[in-house]
Amino acid sequence: MSDFFRQVKRMLTIFALLIVSATPCLAGSALPLHTLEQIASKKSITLGYQDDAFPFSWQNGNVPAGYSIDICNSIVSALKTKLQLKNLKVEWVKANSASQFVLIKNHMADIMCIPAFYSKSRHSISEFSLPFYFSSTRFVMRKNESNDNLAELSGHSVLVKSGTIYVEQLQKVNTANDLDINIQLDTNNITAFNELKNGEYSALISSTVLLKGMIAQTPNPGDYKLSDIALSAPLPAGLLLPLHDKEFKEFVDDTLSSLMASNEFTALYNKWFQSPIPPKAINLNIPMSDNLKALTSAKKKISFDYEKYN
């Protein structure tokens, strides 16, 4: 190799080292603010909601309402205190089961006020707060056609909401039992239930609590039968938070822990699951699960390891 090429190679090496050494500084200046800093700077927080996840997140007139909405409102109140803000503007963004992960990943929402049921694959996209509900997966059918034999669904089309964990669960059931259940996807629970009601599909698969909410909202709840068998054990549901923001997760979890260890949480639970819900006075009559009782009964700081539970 000639001296000229050696010198060129040496210069390129030095240049590359300079670029690498400068990168942390450049990257540091370009890094976005952490969530708490962003909220403090903008004096506003963006919260995601769904209009079809009764009684967790739904639309009552022009405003979001529900169990997880009330939980988010408690977090907003705690944020105002922590950040010493007299006013904190809340901006709501509508989402569905699939888009909620896109919104969180791209920092277009700070918290998704929707019950997100945990899975390892979901945890690679978004952080999960402490769980505030547990529910198994079941299916609902029209009562005159109902059965608890999954084999009877083989060859039939069933509805599952896209972007949910129920798709993967049903695929596993199909494979494990050598069934031929045709999985059809929908994007909205209300639409999906109407399609079941109209006889377009044999069954609708979702979490037990959401199915009970759908049945309760129909004019003729007695026309539908929820399966006795469950497709999963009770799964934990938390709020979706931005990934890799330890400070924000700790704040949300500490706020939830204080809430869940208080009498206020029992009153909040009873409001949405054991009392008439306006405007239709629907009472779901769902007692607090043993899993949730175990978290809240200690009356001390709550922790939860999703990986160990899963």
Side-chain angles (χ1 to χ4, degrees):
M1 183 182 292
S2 67
D3 290 341
F4 173 76
F5 285 113
R6 288 193 182 95
Q7 289 177 2
V8 170
K9 184 178 180 181
R10 188 179 299 113
M11 289 175 66
L12 289 173
T13 302
I14 293 171
F15 181 71
L17 289 172
L18 287 172
I19 290 293
V20 170
S21 64
T23 299
C25 298
L26 292 171
S29 63
L31 283 174
L33 294 171
H34 292 297
T35 306
L36 285 174
E37 293 172 334
Q38 288 179 332
I39 293 168
S41 175
K42 297 184 300 179
K43 294 182 174 60
S44 70
I45 183 170
T46 304
L47 303 177
Y49 76 100
Q50 283 181 209
D51 63 358
D52 65 336
F54 179 87
F56 293 90
S57 174
W58 56 293
Q59 200 152 329
N60 186 11
N62 296 321
V63 295
Y67 175 56
S68 53
I69 302 297
D70 279 357
I71 288 174
C72 276
N73 286 333
S74 294
I75 295 170
V76 169
S77 294
L79 269 170
K80 289 168 68 176
T81 301
K82 178 178 177 62
L83 301 176
Q84 299 181 332
L85 295 173
K86 185 176 181 181
N87 296 304
L88 179 59
K89 183 181 178 183
V90 176
E91 298 179 350
W92 291 99
V93 56
K94 187 176 174 180
N96 58 40
S97 298
S99 68
Q100 61 179 332
F101 290 94
V102 177
L103 291 170
I104 281 290
K105 185 177 181 180
N106 293 317
H107 303 285
M108 297 168 70
D110 300 308
I111 307 174
M112 299 307 301
C113 304
I114 300 165
F117 289 95
Y118 178 85
S119 73
K120 286 186 178 180
S121 59
R122 286 177 153 199
H123 201 188
S124 66
I125 305 171
S126 172
E127 188 56 82
F128 283 72
S129 74
L130 282 176
F132 53 89
Y133 203 88
F134 292 79
S135 184
S136 56
T137 303
R138 297 179 189 270
F139 59 90
V140 63
M141 300 180 70
R142 294 177 296 279
K143 193 169 186 177
N144 59 350
E145 300 175 8
S146 68
N147 67 78
D148 263 337
N149 187 351
L150 282 172
E152 293 293 326
L153 290 175
S154 189
H156 293 268
S157 294
V158 302
L159 269 176
V160 186
K161 193 177 182 186
S162 62
T164 62
I165 60 175
Y166 320 124
V167 180
E168 181 182 349
Q169 289 173 344
L170 188 54
Q171 287 171 338
K172 288 181 179 178
V173 168
N174 252 348
T175 302
N177 297 280
D178 196 25
L179 302 178
D180 183 28
I181 299 174
N182 182 23
I183 303 171
Q184 296 293 317
L185 303 180
D186 210 314
T187 58
N188 184 277
N189 284 326
I190 299 169
T191 304
F193 196 86
N194 283 335
E195 290 171 334
L196 172 73
K197 179 178 69 176
N198 296 335
E200 297 176 50
Y201 298 96
S202 298
L204 171 62
I205 294 174
S206 187
S207 69
T208 302
V209 61
L210 290 176
L211 289 175
K212 285 185 176 182
M214 290 181 231
I215 293 170
Q217 291 180 90
T218 190
N220 301 299
D223 291 348
Y224 306 93
K225 174 70 168 60
L226 189 64
S227 67
D228 292 325
I229 62 169
L231 304 185
S232 76
L235 300 173
L239 304 171
L240 294 184
L241 308 171
L243 202 59
H244 306 310
D245 193 336
K246 184 179 178 181
E247 184 185 18
F248 189 56
K249 174 174 166 56
E250 285 182 351
F251 169 77
V252 171
D253 280 354
D254 286 347
T255 303
L256 277 173
S257 178
S258 296
L259 173 65
M260 292 170 68
S262 70
N263 292 330
E264 182 184 347
F265 183 74
T266 303
L268 179 64
Y269 184 93
N270 290 340
K271 170 186 174 182
W272 290 106
F273 298 101
Q274 295 197 294
S275 304
I277 302 171
K280 296 181 179 179
I282 295 171
N283 192 337
L284 295 174
N285 291 310
I286 303 176
M288 188 179 290
S289 67
D290 291 340
N291 300 89
L292 193 53
K293 283 180 181 177
L295 280 183
T296 60
S297 61
K299 301 298 180 184
K300 61 182 181 180
K301 185 173 180 178
I302 298 169
S303 62
F304 186 82
D305 191 331
Y306 279 97
E307 296 294 333
K308 287 183 179 178
Y309 182 88
N310 206 46

